[in-house]
């Protein structure tokens, strides 16, 4: 059909979408947290379309029942936020307004992104010397930060990588205790190679780097440039590197400090946890996610750096029709940029500092309550202390068990059986992990909907999954 024929139906179509969203979100707490539906027969591209309303109805008939309650209260896999009411409205409006935030000068929208960055700096307690920009998630934020660090490191070796590439350079070491998988992806994308990442020893019983091990490695580099990756919120246990110690080491040895705070940066919101981030100001770059603890819809990450000139050297896009001003497209991989800041701006204005203080401290309290439940359980035991909002645990085992290969395989099978039973049960979704050689499970609390009442349900479901 002619697209223009749908124009008179626009508000009707939006009302249909609103109704669909309402019918999905209202009973979200009862929807299975995750499910494994079978896929319907694929449809061919229609010659004549069915119009906006028809497409919504067709989608709902074919796919809606297969959507998970991942934005609901008991999807605890990965680190998965939901979408606050204000953030959801902001995201809808971002699509309705459909601004391109590449250049200043043709819309106020870039001003909104800059204002949102300032709100986030204030939320995280970051100084004004951190320039920030929205990207699609923390993987991309880590990639932008590492590209900027790469430009800086190569410059110290006399090479402009953005211009001349990496071809003449020695490998640039990237050092960290527990770098997230996205760091390895980033160095692969950037041509530095996964092999440049060196895993430093961690402190005993911790997922935090041993500063002495890092000091020894930096010493051995004898002034050659290095990039240090600090975890502010390690993904299995929520452990934190000591940013004060790492910052001092980086200053002493002239290394770049990047802090991956995809979810852990939100510790800044809770006065009881903020200390975990002491030393953050010494970072050269910081990455975080909007679509985790900020609870905005997917497609939201933020990168902060104190080296805008290096960042722009990498990402500048030069063409006669593009501005040469301080436009945001010169800071990110994208040229055309979605109005990603709007859902973040909406939720920050709607709930303010106190809203996020309450959310972060509630999530930490819930994690600690689940941790207590696990400790008291006859079936499960904690694999690590609960540092923040993540609970890492495993099926309980007798002393001395698990030494032999056959026992190790058996433990994976038993753990996977629990995960499958939880999936069939539907009340709770958890993702597997391996911690310290032991197959385990992890539960991450970041969703605004999750409450104390959910802890009982989670513990019940976990008990029912054993057997
Ligand atoms: C989730 C996460 C990432 C990657 O973020 P995406 O939003 O999935 O791109 C990076 N680092 C840490 C510590 C994370 O938890």
């Amino acid at each position: 059909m002619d697209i223009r024929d749908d124009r008179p139906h626009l508000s009707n179509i939006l009302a249909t979408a609103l109704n669909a969203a309402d019918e999905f979100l209202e009973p979200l707490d009862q929807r299975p947290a995750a499910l494994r539906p079978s896929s319907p027969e694929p449809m061919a591209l229609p010659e004549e379309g069915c119009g906006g309303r028809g497409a919504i109805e067709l989608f709902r008939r074919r796919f809606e029942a297969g959507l998970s309650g991942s934005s609901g209260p008991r999807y605890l896999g990965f680190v998965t936020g939901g979408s606050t009411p204000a953030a959801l409205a902001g995201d809808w409006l971002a699509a309705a307004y459909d601004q391109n935030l590449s250049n200043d000068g043709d819309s106020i929208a870039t001003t909104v992104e800059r204002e949102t960055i300032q709100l986030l700096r204030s939320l995280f307690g970051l100084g004004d010397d951190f320039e920030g920009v929205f990207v699609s998630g923390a993987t991309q934020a880590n990639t932008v930060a590492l590209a900027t660090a790469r430009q800086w490191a190569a410059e110290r070796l006399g090479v402009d990588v953005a211009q001349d590439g990496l071809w003449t350079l020695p490998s640039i070491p990237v050092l960290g205790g527990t770098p997230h998988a996205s760091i390895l992806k980033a160095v692969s994308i950037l041509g530095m190679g996964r092999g440049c990442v060196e895993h430093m020893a961690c402190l005993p019983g911790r997922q935090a780097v041993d500063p002495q091990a890092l000091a020894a490695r930096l010493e051995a580099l004898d002034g050659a440039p290095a990039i240090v990756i600090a975890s502010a919120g390690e993904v299995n246990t929520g452990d934190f590197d000591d940013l004060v110690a790492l910052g001092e080491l980086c200053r002493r040895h002239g290394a770049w400090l990047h802090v991956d705070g995809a979810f852990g940066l939100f510790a800044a919101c809770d006065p009881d946890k903020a200390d975990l981030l002491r030393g953050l100001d010494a970072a050269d770059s910081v990455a975080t996610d909007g679509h985790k603890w900020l609870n905005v819809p997917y497609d939201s990450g933020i990168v902060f750096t104190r080296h805008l000139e290096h960042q722009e050297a990498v990402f500048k896009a030069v063409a006669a029709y593009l501005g040469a001003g301080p436009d945001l497209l010169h800071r990110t991989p994208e040229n055309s940029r979605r109005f990603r800041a709007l859902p973040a701006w909406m939720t920050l204005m709607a709930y303010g500092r106190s809203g996020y203080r309450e959310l972060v401290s509630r999530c930490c309290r819930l994690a600690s309550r689940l941790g207590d439940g696990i400790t008291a359980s006859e079936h499960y035991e904690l694999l690590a202390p609960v540092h923040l909002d993540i609970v890492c645990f495993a099926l309980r085992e007798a002393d001395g068990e698990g030494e032999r290969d056959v026992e190790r395989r058996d433990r994976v099978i038993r753990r996977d059986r629990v995960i499958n039973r939880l999936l069939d049960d539907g009340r709770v979704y958890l993702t597997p992990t391996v911690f310290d050689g032991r197959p385990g499970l992890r539960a991450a609390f970041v969703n605004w909907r999750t409450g104390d009442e959910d802890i009982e349900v989670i513990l019940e479901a976990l008990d029912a999954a054993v057997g």
Side-chain angles (χ1 to χ4, degrees):
M1 74 181 258
D2 187 324
I3 299 168
R4 288 168 297 185
D5 291 346
D6 237 357
R7 189 169 163 180
H9 305 299
L10 183 58
S11 55
N12 217 318
I13 292 166
L14 293 179
T16 307
L18 172 63
N19 182 52
D22 234 2
E23 290 185 6
F24 181 82
L25 291 174
E26 195 45 45
L28 185 61
D29 292 12
Q30 282 94 55
R31 181 174 280 269
L35 29 72
R36 289 177 289 197
S38 49
S39 303
E41 278 299 301
M43 279 178 67
L45 176 68
E47 180 57 36
E48 289 299 321
C50 56
R53 274 191 66 179
I56 295 171
E57 280 154 14
L58 177 65
F59 174 84
R60 294 189 71 183
R61 265 200 317 282
R62 295 190 68 221
F63 296 115
E64 194 186 81
L67 297 174
S68 73
S70 59
S71 60
R74 275 169 271 101
Y75 186 101
L76 308 175
F78 310 103
V79 185
T80 303
S83 184
T84 65
L88 174 58
D91 203 64
W92 283 9
L93 288 172
Y97 299 145
D98 199 22
Q99 308 285 295
N100 181 356
L101 280 76
S102 61
N103 288 278
D104 299 323
D106 61 11
S107 161
I108 196 82
T110 49
T111 301
V112 179
E113 178 159 344
R114 291 189 165 91
E115 182 169 303
T116 311
I117 292 293
Q118 177 52 35
L119 302 176
L120 289 167
R121 267 197 298 259
S122 169
L123 186 71
F124 299 134
L126 283 171
D128 289 348
D129 50 341
F130 283 93
E131 294 277 353
V133 71
F134 274 83
V135 289
S136 60
T139 299
Q140 192 73 299
N142 280 332
T143 305
V144 170
L146 282 170
T148 308
R150 182 189 64 173
Q151 186 68 19
W152 162 88
E155 187 182 282
R156 288 195 43 202
L157 297 168
V159 173
D160 176 357
V161 167
Q163 183 59 35
D164 297 320
L166 285 163
W167 312 113
T168 59
L169 285 171
S171 174
I172 300 165
V174 175
L175 314 175
T178 53
H180 186 264
S182 59
I183 297 291
L184 289 128
K185 186 171 187 164
V187 290
S188 163
I189 294 171
L190 294 170
M192 297 162 75
R194 294 173 197 263
C196 76
V197 176
E198 299 177 29
H199 288 81
M200 303 282 101
C202 285
L203 294 165
R206 296 279 308 277
Q207 297 295 293
V209 72
D210 177 352
Q212 286 187 1
L214 182 63
R217 183 65 185 110
L218 287 170
E219 199 78 51
L221 284 172
D222 199 19
I227 301 165
V228 171
I229 308 290
S231 291
E234 187 274 328
V235 77
N236 272 319
T237 64
D239 206 348
F240 280 66
D241 281 324
D242 179 344
L243 301 182
V244 172
L246 269 53
E248 268 165 23
L249 284 173
C250 287
R251 209 167 30 250
R252 188 173 332 139
H253 295 280
W256 179 287
L257 180 62
H258 172 64
V259 176
D260 180 355
F263 61 92
L265 207 57
F266 286 78
C269 303
D270 179 356
D272 290 341
K273 300 288 183 187
D275 222 34
L276 293 167
L277 289 166
R278 220 157 46 84
L280 178 66
D281 251 12
D284 293 285
S285 54
V286 179
T288 194
D289 252 326
H291 52 223
K292 287 177 179 167
W293 228 336
L294 191 61
N295 279 257
V296 304
Y298 277 109
D299 202 48
S300 183
I302 306 103
V303 58
F304 297 95
T305 83
R306 296 201 296 172
H307 302 265
L308 192 56
E309 68 292 358
H310 291 104
Q311 189 174 343
E312 289 184 337
V314 178
F315 294 105
K316 72 182 168 201
V318 187
Y321 75 99
L322 294 172
D327 297 319
L328 297 174
L329 90 157
H330 300 304
R331 302 183 181 186
T332 65
E334 307 94 337
N335 278 359
S336 299
R337 303 179 62 253
R338 180 178 162 82
F339 201 172
R340 288 191 183 107
L342 188 53
W345 186 93
M346 287 282 178
T347 199
L348 288 166
M349 287 303 182
Y351 312 116
R353 200 183 292 283
S354 76
Y356 281 91
R357 187 187 310 133
E358 190 283 329
L359 172 63
V360 170
S361 69
R362 166 159 46 104
C363 287
C364 294
R365 184 182 78 240
L366 295 175
S368 137
R369 273 196 60 194
L370 180 63
D372 292 345
I374 296 290
T375 303
S377 151
E378 56 177 306
H379 302 301
Y380 298 97
E381 60 187 329
L382 285 181
L383 290 178
V386 178
H387 297 284
L388 192 71
D389 63 325
I390 297 181
V391 187
C392 186
F393 62 102
L395 283 158
R396 201 172 272 282
E397 61 186 42
D399 284 345
E401 196 188 334
E403 302 303 325
R404 304 202 316 267
D405 276 356
V406 48
E407 285 167 348
R408 268 189 218 116
R409 270 201 306 279
D410 193 46
R411 285 190 305 193
V412 172
I413 292 167
R414 288 197 337 251
R415 190 271 318 271
D416 290 350
R417 199 184 301 142
V418 168
I419 290 196
N420 284 324
R421 287 199 176 133
L422 285 172
L423 259 169
D424 293 339
D425 176 286
R427 284 177 290 175
V428 183
Y429 183 67
L430 300 179
T431 37
T433 191
V434 174
F435 181 81
D436 213 7
R438 262 183 83 177
L441 299 140
R442 45 186 294 297
F445 291 87
V446 285
N447 191 296
W448 67 277
R449 290 174 182 264
T450 316
D452 285 281
E453 65 284 3
D454 291 303
I455 299 300
E456 300 314 316
V457 182
I458 296 162
L459 285 168
E460 254 176 56
L462 279 171
D463 270 350
V466 187

